[in-house]
Structures are given as C-alpha cells and as structure tokens.
Amino acid sequence: MAKIPFTVSARTAKLIGQENFANAEGAIIELVKNSYDADAKTALIIFDNSDEIKENHSLYIIDNGQGMTEDVVKEKWMKIGTDDKLQNFTSEGGRIKTGAKGIGRFALDRLGKLTEMHTVSKETNQRLFWSVNWEDFEKIGLSIHEVNAELTNLDTFDLKSHLKDLFKDYKQIPELLDKTEFTTGTILKINALKDSWDEKDLKSLFDNLEVLIPPFEQPEFSIYLFSTSNIVNLGEVNTAYYDDYDYKVSAKYLADDNQSLQVKITRNELVIEALENSYKEVFDAEQMKKFPYDLETFKSKEFEYYLDLGKIKVFSSVDQELLKKIGKFDFTFYYLKNTISDDKNEGDLKKYPYRNFVSANRRAWLDKFGGVKTFRDGFRVRPYGDKDNDWLRLGERQAKSPQGAGQRLGAYRIRPNQIAGTVNISRINNPYFNDKSGREGIQENDVFEVFKNLLIEVINFFEKDRNVVMVHLSELYDKRNSDKKEREKAKAEAERILREKQKREKNKKSPDDNEIKDEDTETKELLAQATQNLEQELEEKDSEIRLLRSLASVGLIMASSAHELRNLRSRIVPRTEFLVRELKKLIDEKALASLHKEDNPFYMIDLIRNEDLQIKHWLDYSLSSLKKDKRKRTNINFGEYFETFKGNWKKSLDKSDINLTLNGSNDAPNTIQTFEVDLDTIFNNLLINSRVAFSGKTGSKEIKINWKRVDEFVQIDFVDNGQGLAQEYKSNPSEIFNAFETSKRDNKGNIIGTGLGLYIVKSIIDEYIDATMDIMDSEIGFKLRLTFPVRKKQ
C-alpha cells in the first residue's frame, strides 16, 4: 500500500486567500493590521494616482515596524496558513497580534496584480526586496510549490531616503517623514490596481479607517491616508471623539469566582439646576428618594453598580460553564438622542429639562460612528456596528416595545440609531470568540450568544434608569397640568369679581364717595387682580412661543426657496440704478440699440434689476411673518386674510406656473378670533408642501382654498392637484402629522424633507378649542379640511 501526499493547485491556494476579503477596503485594513502586529508606530497608505493613465496608478502601504529578516520572509511570509501568530500571539513590543490565520498576504492579490516589497529588519538590519506576480497563480496545471516570488538583498538601501525621493513632489509626505522615525519597517507597493479609487472610494476608506481602532482612545499607532492626485482632502486618521452625550455607561466583566460585573452610569441629559429648582417635587416620589434616583446622586452625575451575575434574573438559569467561558471584557456605550423631543409628544420641553444640543452635529456623528462595535486587542472586528448591522437586535427590541422613556415603567427600549458603543475583547481573555473562516465576524456559538445577552443586560441598566427618571418627570407634568381646570375656574372667578368692582365704581354717585368694603371683599379683589396679572404674564410667554414657532416656519420657507436665492446671489436693488446712471455718462444708450440684446449692457442690467426685485420680494415676504401685530389675537376675516396671503405669494407662484384660486366670501360670519401668525404658519406650510407636490408635473398646477360658514364653524378646504399622499401614508394618513415624518427624497433616495411642516400645523390646530383638521378623500392630489369656531358676538 502506497502513501501519496495531497497537493494544492496554485489557483486553489489563491482562491482560499481571496475569499477572506470581500472588498478592497477590507484588504487594505488587513495589511494595516499587519503593520500593527509588526510594532509599527506609524502606517501610511498612499495612492499614487496623479498620472492621467489609470494603469500607472499604484498603492503603497508603508510602516516603521520591525521589518522582516530573510528567514522570516522565507519561513513565515511565504508560508500560506502559517500558525506563527497563533502560537506567538504577542509581538516583540508587547502587542497582542490581530492576525492568526496566516493568509493575510493574499490581501495584496485582492488589490493588484503585481506586488513589490522593500523591508528593513530591526533585528538584523537586513535590507530585502521581494516581488511577485499574482497572475502566476492563475496558470493552468501549476501546483502551489511551482509558483515563485523573487527575493533580493539590498545592502545600501535606506528606507526614509527612498520614500522621500518617491514622494518629493507631494509636500505632506516628506514633511511627515521628517518628523517620523523610519530606519526600519516595510514598504508594500501594489501595481496594476484592480479597483478604480475615486473621491467617494477614498472618503469611504478614510471613514472606515477612523473606526478601525476604538473611539475615545488614542493608542500609540497612527494611520495616515494620502492621495497624490489631491482629489480629496485626507491626512491623519483620527479616532472618534465626542463628549456631547446624554448618558455614558461603562461595564467591566471580571470573570472572577463571583462572576462580578461592574457598571458605572454617567447622567448628562438633564439640567441639574432645573431639577433642583423648577422640578424639585419629582424627588418627593418614593422611588426618587432612593439611590440612585435621589437628588444628591443626580448632582454627582455618576454612580456605580457591583453585581453578581447569578443574582440577575436573566442569567439565573444560564449554564454557569458558558458564563465562565466568556472571559473578561469591557463595554462602553454612549446614548445620544437625535432630537430634543424624544417621545415626539407635544410638551416634552415642559416635561423634561433637557440640556440643549445641536441635532445636526449629533446625527452626523452617529451616522459615522454609531452602532455597537467590537474590538479585539485594539482592532475592529467587522461587521459588528456597521450600518444596517444591528447584531444585538436593538431595533427588534424597540419595535416590540416602542413606548417612549416617559410613558410606562419597564417598557422603554433604546433605538439602535441612538447608541455608539465599543466592546473590547482579547485573544487571551476570550479564547472562545473565534473568527469565522471569512474573518468577517465571530463564530455564533453558545458562548457568544450568552455574551450578547450580557451586553443587552448592561444596556437594560441604562434603559431602566432613564425610564424611571422620565416617567416620574412625566407624572409631575401631568399632575401640574391637572390643575389647569382649576386655573380656568380661578380666572373666571377673578374676572367676575373685577367686573363687579368696576360696576360698583361706575355706580358711584360722586368720585369722592368712598366705598366701605369688608375685609373679605377687599382680599378677594386683591387676589382677583393678582390672578389676572398672572394670566397676562402667561399669555406673554405663549406669545414668545408663537414667535419661535413662526421663526421655525420662516426657516422652512427660506429652505424651500433656497435654490432660487442661491441663483440670484446677493444683489441690492439700488446698485443697478447707480450703475445705469454712471454708464450713461460714458455711453449713449440709443447708440447700442442695434446690438443683440445679450451684447447690450443696459439689457443685462435690466436682468440684474429683475433678480434684485425678486430677492427683495422674498426678504420682504419672510420678514413680514415677524410683524409684532401678527402675534396679537385679533378678529380675522378669512376673505380679507386669503386675499393678502395670495398677494404675498403671487410672484413666487407665477414663476412656478401655479394658479391659486380663492372661493369664499368676505362676510362677517366668516370671522374668527385668532393670531394671524398662526394662520401664516398653517397656510404657508400647506402651500410649501403643494409646491413640492408639483415637482415634475406637466399641465395645470392648481391650488384652491375654499371656505364657508357651517353652523358655528368656518370650514376651509385646502386642495391641490399635485402628487397627493405618498404611498406609504395611504393606509394611515394621520402619520404625516407626526414630527419628522416626510416622504421627500432626492433622486438617490436620500431623505431631504424636514418632516416638521405638517407637525407644526397640527400642533397649532390642537391648541384651538373645537378646531379640527382632517385629510379628505381625493382622487387627484391632496385635500385637507380645517374647521375653526366662529367668533362669538360680544
């Protein structure tokens, strides 16, 4: 019986390596990890792509690490599937190596057809040149041992001088080299690139490199990305740092005999001074008197738990051997709500004393660094925390229990787009967390499932804490609001007392008559006057709120016309008159009559003047929304109001070929008592939405506003023949009134609408007693019916 060896074709070996790299970005990241394993302090990724011929583009990956000796190149670099990093997982500099499978060098093949390597060894000072043509692996019938790379000794090679000479025309790289030690290390040059790296690709690579090492840490390893074509502004890759969070939760699992879990929670969401003063009654609740919800704990901002996992309900029945196999790890996450109104309920700002923040900054940061990411020995394990990779199923949890934090105890669940976190594991402490064969993720075994549940439990500590605080603040708000009816009674009684006082004073026979009042009557009158004064102050506060809402509405109007304003630029009307006057001193306008109009400067100035007038119209229109008299409750006749409304919008509608038709009367019965600024906000937003609904429409563009008296109400129908409700709202039209609901998207499917217009309209309607707003069935376009109670006769 003969024993015969297995052989592997060259092509098979190559395919095994290539399957580990789903894309070019992943291949580059793998090579950067090799630089880290070599104890490099600096890694440079340079795309030499300034040549107009793409075939001449090259990619360099450079580090100042340990470099390789001839023995290392022959015995480890050239050995596919080497177990060196598996056995020797600590580098010379004490780092835990990130690689283990011994096939990372095939990342070079994924990137290009040819590879050259210069390496200078720290151990022996050997200077070597290595090269390979990866297409040799494609030759039919070749076994792996028949494919050769070339290796040459370079006795006089100087690493830094070589790099400075290569990139002498690119200022940033020589400057960086002057500040960086580059006596040893490795230069990898990949030629005949397989991918075309444009601005978008380079920006994506830069973003992924930013999350390669854990956020909020600055390890002794710097990464730089450059492009010699200067097609995008690159440079040093910085890790994510952001300190504008609402909650920070840090947890450490010690994996000791007690299965100890340490959890530290830092609160940063609410204004402590407001809690202590304006919301101090919340601490009268029994639960809010105790740690960690008491005022003193709030003032200290952070507190800690020390827990035995065996006492946590969710782990009481878990196999203890599985818990032991998890090993030590730490988990830090940050909760950042996207908007100031977390529950999307009117009145949240009154319920909760939130700190102010810039929503746009948070959304941008979360878009880039959000999600719970996993790091092994300081390097990212993908795809955990990638966009659309909700590996902890936070979205599923939240969908099953969508209540806001202040709605019901025990029901609050965090949304996946509000969390940024890092889980740190190690090859030493977590040996059961093995990579999948494709290196994308960790093997989904029972230990890993328990591990995920433990992370969810840490998140639940935060959810419970925020839930308890917000529910009690919500209950305080409801309690205060329940006094509203009593306040209305007090207001009515105060008015009655003061009317009686005025009546008595009117019936005095002479000014000198001094009315004798008993003490009780005098006290009542004083209280009545104080009540009326307080009501006046509250009305002034309401006026301020209306002004702020009006400002928000003006912002929406300006946003809708921004494309027009950008085209018009900043021109001021009087300058054209001055220009014409000065020009006529030098040129006879009649002498230019024979010129083509595009060559006539006077014609061009007329065009500029028309643009200036349009700018003036938009500015006048926007500023008119802030007039002081619009913030006073007055008698509004809809016929007169809509005529003015149509006049304000006329130029803009004419330019867009939109016809606005009014159908109603100016009769006194069609009068209500309201704030004109509220009507502006309502109908401006509706008209803006209609303009958007006409985008791409051919034929007539019609908006109709019809109003009439129906019993004790004025009924107003706002109708257009645009695109109508988006398909996603057909089954539940009322959703369009929710905050941030929008179907406006660009041609790439990106959301471009604010989702605030109809929400603002709905919030105003809800403030008026007996006023209603309903979406009516309409075969074409959109129809909205509003009803307002008519002004009562005095």
Side-chain angles (χ1 to χ4, degrees), residues 45-47 49 170 202 225-232 234:
I45 305 163
I46 303 173
F47 284 88
N49 52 7
Y170 191 74
L202 291 174
L225 175 61
F226 297 108
S227 165
T228 60
S229 67
N230 289 310
I231 59 174
V232 62
L234 303 169

Side-chain angles (χ1 to χ4, degrees), residues 627-644:
K627 286 182 180 178
K628 186 175 180 181
D629 56 1
K630 289 193 174 190
R631 305 196 301 272
K632 294 180 181 178
R633 191 187 295 271
T634 57
N635 296 329
I636 303 292
N637 180 286
F638 277 110
E640 297 171 357
Y641 173 79
F642 286 129
E643 287 294 341
T644 302

Side-chain angles (χ1 to χ4, degrees), residues 534-572:
L534 179 60
E535 286 298 322
Q536 181 64 35
E537 290 179 14
L538 292 173
E539 285 183 12
E540 290 174 0
K541 292 292 183 184
D542 288 341
S543 178
E544 290 179 18
I545 293 171
R546 292 177 193 282
L547 174 59
L548 293 174
R549 186 162 53 206
S550 176
L551 287 168
S553 182
V554 169
L556 293 175
I557 295 167
M558 298 302 291
S560 75
S561 59
H563 61 287
E564 297 181 67
L565 294 175
R566 279 196 299 269
N567 292 333
L568 299 177
R569 298 179 183 176
S570 298
R571 297 186 174 110
I572 303 172

Side-chain angles (χ1 to χ4, degrees), residues 35 38-46 60-67 118-122 125-127 157-164 166-167 172-188 221-224 226:
S35 297
D39 285 330
K41 293 183 179 180
T42 304
L44 279 67
I45 305 163
I46 303 173
Y60 290 83
I61 298 175
I62 305 161
D63 69 59
N64 59 355
Q66 299 280 348
H118 290 86
T119 185
V120 179
S121 168
K122 184 175 183 179
N125 201 34
Q126 281 184 293
R127 300 158 193 273
F157 178 77
D158 182 79
L159 196 67
K160 181 179 284 193
S161 297
H162 178 70
L163 290 172
K164 292 181 75 172
L166 276 175
F167 301 108
Q172 284 181 272
I173 297 175
E175 287 180 352
L176 175 61
L177 292 170
D178 285 335
K179 297 184 292 185
T180 310
E181 183 181 350
F182 259 99
T183 55
T184 66
T186 300
I187 302 172
L188 290 169
F221 182 62
S222 301
I223 304 172
Y224 294 82
F226 297 108

